[in-house]
Amino acid sequence: MRRGSDVFSTSRGTVSERGRNRSWLLSSIITFNVLILGIALVSGSVFNNVKINAINLQIFLIVLIILTTAWMLYYTIYTSREDHAVLYKDSHAGPVWLRGGLVLFGLCSLIMDVFKIANYVGYLHCDSAVKIAFPVVQAVFILVQTYFLWLHAKDCVQLQRNITRCGLMLTLSTNLMLWMAAVTEESIHQTVVPPEDDNSTHSYDIRAPGGSSSCNCSHSACAVLEKAYYYLYPFNIEYSLFASAMAYVMWKNVGRLVDEHNHHSLHFRLKDMLVGPAVGLVMLVAGLGTFVIYKVDVEKGDPGKRDTVLMIHYVMNTVAVTLMSVSTVAGCAIYRLDQRDHVSGKNPTRSLDVGLLIGASFGQFTICYFTIVAVVATGAEGHLNALNLAVSLLTVIQLCLQNIFIIEGLHREPFHEDMHQASVFTNPYVLQAQAHRDIHNLPGTFMETKTSPALTVHSMHVAPSAPSSSPLPQRHRLTWKRRALKEICAFLLLCNILLWIMPAFGARPQFDNPIGAEFYEFTMWAAVVNIGLPFGIFYRMHSVASLFEVFLTS
């Protein structure tokens, strides 16, 4: 009878596994089709202004947004009515700081959509109404999705798994398409085209399809609004990526049975920390100051001032990545002395963090190596090119070291003051002799008590000050390591914020320094920079999130 029951359980498990694989395959097919079609439309709207334009792309995005919003509303209503729809929560998914970042970026995205609506109203008399409808629909989508992810980011859904997986992949695809469209529009806005290469580069005007400039704004605020919403694009880009990552983790958690016995509550504290945050803030303020000078002088178009501010920019980046490299080497050395265990078991959030960290760094690696080849091949003449080469080489080193440091930190168990007690006194029978000697060192009543495994464990926990076997010395030895790791994480976090701000808000030394465009020709160099830089920008923000998590667990 038992054998028949085992066969039945195995058969049912096999059927369930096949059903899960089918739903994963179906939802993945939906994603691939949506993304490939979207890539074709984005490419067509950039390089072919006659047959495919921004209006066609926006119509496609509106359809995706409406479908995704409808599914999120359905999911929210269904799970609220079904008691057994969500039986488990993944405590590692959607931490409060990640959802807080999503809300912050979503708020900035809403402001951007308001500015877009106000701007496009001025062109309504001579342009398509789709350009007003798109930011309106996107604003509603941001509100619904932020609410949806705030409530359900930790869900491990047990009912309607196929529909849920397909809906989450649709959500992921929609966010990636919005990210792709925003990155393309922002990159073209930031790309500086040399006058001699005008004929080899296609223009892209978001206000008039086909590149026509005959449509004029009907109110005087258009120029200010357009400049304002371009400064909010980095927040909108990060919002789409945060939402994509959270949707992917939800997709991985569909049907998952989560065991929470190893979960630790983490708290943010800055107690006894000074050097890391202080030096990081100094770097952040100094970097922002040089960035403002860089932007102002580059926009003036004076070649002499341009070279000067480029040198200042390179020096600032050289100092930043050098200090960051030294810090990560120190952090990796501390990891070698750290006795915390490595985490075990499957964790979709951690796997995604590591994958995104390595994948996004390829963008920065690509730009750095292309720059190194161009500078070395041309002889690295002059201080400007020497600094450009130094920054690129040091950035490659810093990326490698930081990836190692973050990945190692993400795979360590959180530090707790009682972790050594739990690991030392796990077998009371083996330690009974040692416990007997410790009990004889205690006063009065404990001397007369007969030892037992239960009493041994209890006595070791209620009397942590016992002299010979107390784990307190190990805990004190970890104190300086814990503090040093937190100092390093705080410093690296602030420096990564600086290295995110500068390119995200318009620093383009790749175009202001002509060596790349001259060596590779402008068309190829623009493609390398505009494809690699968005991933490099995302890498810095993702590093901030990962470093914050390492900070909490240290």
Side-chain angles (χ1 to χ4, degrees), residues 297-307:
D297 287 347
V298 165
E299 288 180 357
K300 290 180 179 178
D302 187 347
K305 288 186 176 181
R306 185 198 65 187
D307 291 345

Side-chain angles (χ1 to χ4, degrees), residues 422-440:
S423 62
V424 172
F425 304 110
T426 53
N427 193 336
Y429 295 97
V430 175
L431 297 175
Q432 190 168 3
Q434 177 66 36
H436 181 73
R437 289 195 298 271
D438 292 335
I439 289 176
H440 279 287

Side-chain angles (χ1 to χ4, degrees), residues 37-62:
L37 176 58
I39 290 171
L41 289 173
V42 170
S43 302
S45 66
V46 173
F47 299 111
N48 190 344
N49 289 328
V50 177
K51 297 181 180 179
I52 299 177
N53 52 44
I55 304 300
N56 304 123
L57 175 61
Q58 288 177 347
I59 292 173
F60 173 71
L61 293 176
I62 288 173

Side-chain angles (χ1 to χ4, degrees), residues 85-98:
V86 181
L87 297 177
Y88 301 93
K89 295 279 188 178
D90 182 0
S91 59
H92 298 283
V96 65
W97 54 266
L98 183 63

Side-chain angles (χ1 to χ4, degrees), residues 102 145 149 171-172 175 238-248:
L102 185 78
Q145 180 172 252
L149 292 175
T171 304
L172 174 65
N175 280 285
E238 296 300 332
Y239 175 84
S240 297
L241 291 174
F242 272 45
S244 299
M246 296 171 76
Y248 174 81

Side-chain angles (χ1 to χ4, degrees), residues 84 130 280 339 534:
H84 302 290
V130 173
Q339 297 179 2

